[in-house]
């Protein structure tokens, strides 16, 4: 029996999703909780390897558990009881044995939050990038539209990526203002390259501060040159919102 | 010259506003920053002494600074630069020498946030109380209305309060649903007794879980008996939103 979990976490105190030496990762905490529950070592496979400091509300991770005695509908709260308060499991479902949480993902949605006000807001600083000064909001909205479609996103990929192809399809990319001076950039696509959402957010921000004209975005994508795009935004503004299978 | 600051903080890591021995308080951090700036000890007086773990977006605190050389409009960001990232100063204005930030306050607004979903949300757990299970939202809205008016709130005051009178006037008390399963109880009044907002929130929650019928609230207020009201809600759900002079 393979179980697919929906996992939420505040990434502030973690070195990302993936288990590693000399640093605490979210994967390790989930595996530790499952090991406590099942009295044996457990390996979980995630849909996305989020970076250090990145948050999640809809991460997905699966594990094999022919020996699970806890009813599925009670598993989330049992795991919450075994996890630290900055990690939560919000759903659990059974999936076929050959299901792969990474390769079977059809669509992922990330949100990048920018707090745009004269002074920082400590209640939002863990979950947003603080950008003071006036932003050209309509320019940002227009820039976002240029990302939609199937493109070679080589200009929006950090060096060191091992992806076989840099072609990805973006289904939707929107910029919305919420209350409390929060601007949310929401990107939905069939998959993302290393740092891709943070570079897209940085490029949209550059149109907001007037560094890149919104009509230049298509040309930057076509150039496939990372140096033409905006900066990589800091991790704390990024939330992995949803994964669809 | 007396300066009135608007102060925001994430109270998670502080023993409350008021400076004390053996624990770090917000007041101490602000006074340290001002001492660095003015090269002399500075005492700040706050409008509200928020408890350990309670947050603020609109705390007010004043200090005397005939020797301030930083232009007033630049003072907030200069102080932000000297403060830890969980404390921010968002405004600074000059007030008369005889102004008292505590006694001159005409109106204060607090918000109490409840996260009502089957499983916890780690991105909201620092700033809300997690309450799973179905809540009677319309009962809570109706209960909130009963608090409005001038009443003796002795039933909603923690023991150990040194207040001369337990009569306070509540100008408004509302319960609203926001997205992400967040319920916000907003209370505006001319002043609040020790733990009063957290006990009001706990009593409104008790109407939500069916422990207290909404129509009994007026009787509980009239009883002046703390044991009739609901529990004191935990500090992390409370935010001091605004103070008006």
């Amino acid at each position: 029996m393979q179980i697919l979990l929906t996992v939420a976490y505040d990434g502030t105190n973690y070195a990302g999703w993936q288990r590693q030496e000399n640093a605490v990762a979210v994967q390790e905490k989930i595996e530790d909780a499952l090991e406590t529950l099942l009295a044996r070592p457990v390996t979980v496979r995630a849909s996305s390897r989020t970076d250090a400091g990145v948050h999640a509300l809809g991460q997905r991770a699966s594990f094999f558990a022919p020996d699970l005695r806890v009813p599925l509908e009670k598993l989330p709260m049992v795991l919450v009881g075994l996890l630290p308060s900055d990690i939560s499991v919000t759903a659990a479902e059974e999936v076929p044995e050959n299901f792969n949480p990474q390769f079977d993902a059809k669509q992922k949605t990330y949100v990048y939050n920018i707090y745009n006000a004269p002074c920082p807001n400590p209640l939002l600083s863990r979950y947003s990038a603080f950008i003071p000064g006036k932003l050209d909001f309509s320019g940002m909205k227009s820039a976002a539209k240029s990302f939609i479609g199937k493109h070679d996103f080589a200009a929006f990929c950090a060096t060191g990526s091992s992806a076989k192809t840099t072609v990805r399809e973006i289904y939707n990319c929107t910029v919305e203002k919420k209350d409390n001076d929060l601007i949310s950039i929401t990107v939905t696509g069939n998959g993302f390259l290393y740092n891709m959402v943070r570079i897209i957010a940085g490029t949209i921000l550059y149109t907001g501060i007037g560094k890149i004209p919104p009509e230049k975005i298509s040309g930057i994508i076509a150039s496939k040159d990372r140096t033409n795009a905006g900066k990589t935004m800091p991790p704390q503004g990024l939330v992995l919102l949803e994964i669809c299978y």
Side-chain angles (χ1 to χ4, degrees), chain A:
Chain A
M1 173 155 97
Q2 188 177 191
I3 311 289
L4 179 65
L5 304 175
T6 304
V7 183
Y9 44 87
D10 176 336
T12 310
N13 297 321
Y14 295 99
W17 167 267
Q18 196 168 25
R19 182 187 269 274
Q20 53 193 271
E21 298 290 328
N22 306 320
V24 182
V26 178
Q27 181 184 7
E28 180 186 335
K29 293 290 181 185
I30 308 256
E31 288 178 347
D32 285 355
L34 287 168
E35 180 166 343
T36 301
L37 192 66
L38 298 172
R40 60 167 176 86
V42 179
T43 300
V44 297
R45 299 184 297 172
S47 178
S48 295
R49 286 168 301 178
T50 55
D51 272 332
V54 171
H55 316 291
L57 285 173
Q59 170 71 291
R60 299 295 191 97
S62 75
F63 63 101
F64 291 95
D67 51 345
L68 185 72
R69 293 175 312 273
V70 175
L72 257 193
E73 71 276 13
K74 297 204 169 167
L75 185 59
M77 279 309 286
V78 168
L79 288 173
V80 163
L82 294 168
L83 286 163
S85 65
D86 52 7
I87 303 179
S88 179
V89 171
T90 60
E93 60 185 296
E94 195 177 342
V95 287
E97 294 294 309
N98 62 354
F99 175 88
N100 183 302
Q102 185 185 353
F103 302 124
D104 290 348
K106 294 260 181 305
Q107 182 178 302
K108 295 181 183 181
T109 299
Y110 283 87
V111 176
Y112 198 92
N113 291 312
I114 290 170
Y115 182 66
N116 179 231
C119 297
N121 177 337
L123 303 195
L124 293 173
S125 58
R126 285 171 83 90
Y127 311 116
S128 61
F130 168 58
I131 306 288
K134 205 176 150 36
L135 294 178
D136 172 10
F137 184 65
S138 69
M140 292 170 74
K141 281 179 94 77
S142 147
K145 284 192 192 125
S146 305
F147 289 100
I148 299 171
K150 195 170 186 174
H151 304 288
D152 185 334
F153 283 102
F156 296 84
C157 179
T159 52
S161 164
S162 59
K164 280 177 202 143
T165 164
T166 45
V167 173
R168 293 290 184 277
E169 185 166 359
I170 299 290
Y171 302 126
N172 206 4
C173 184
T174 59
V175 183
E176 285 171 294
K177 239 180 212 166
K178 301 194 176 164
D179 45 287
N180 298 324
D181 306 314
L182 207 63
I183 293 174
S184 294
I185 300 169
T186 307
V187 193
T188 300
N190 62 354
F192 294 95
L193 301 164
Y194 186 48
N195 276 354
M196 181 169 154
V197 181
R198 286 160 62 185
I199 301 171
I200 288 177
T203 306
I204 292 174
L205 177 65
Y206 271 13
T207 65
I209 61 175
K211 266 199 173 181
I212 293 179
E215 62 274 14
K216 290 268 170 89
I217 300 288
S218 298
I220 292 170
I221 297 173
S223 78
K224 301 179 199 172
D225 181 351
R226 171 71 189 91
T227 63
N228 290 329
K231 69 167 178 177
T232 305
M233 294 294 281
Q236 79 273 8
L238 189 62
V239 183
L240 169 53
L241 197 67
E242 194 183 28
I243 295 162
C244 297
Y245 292 100

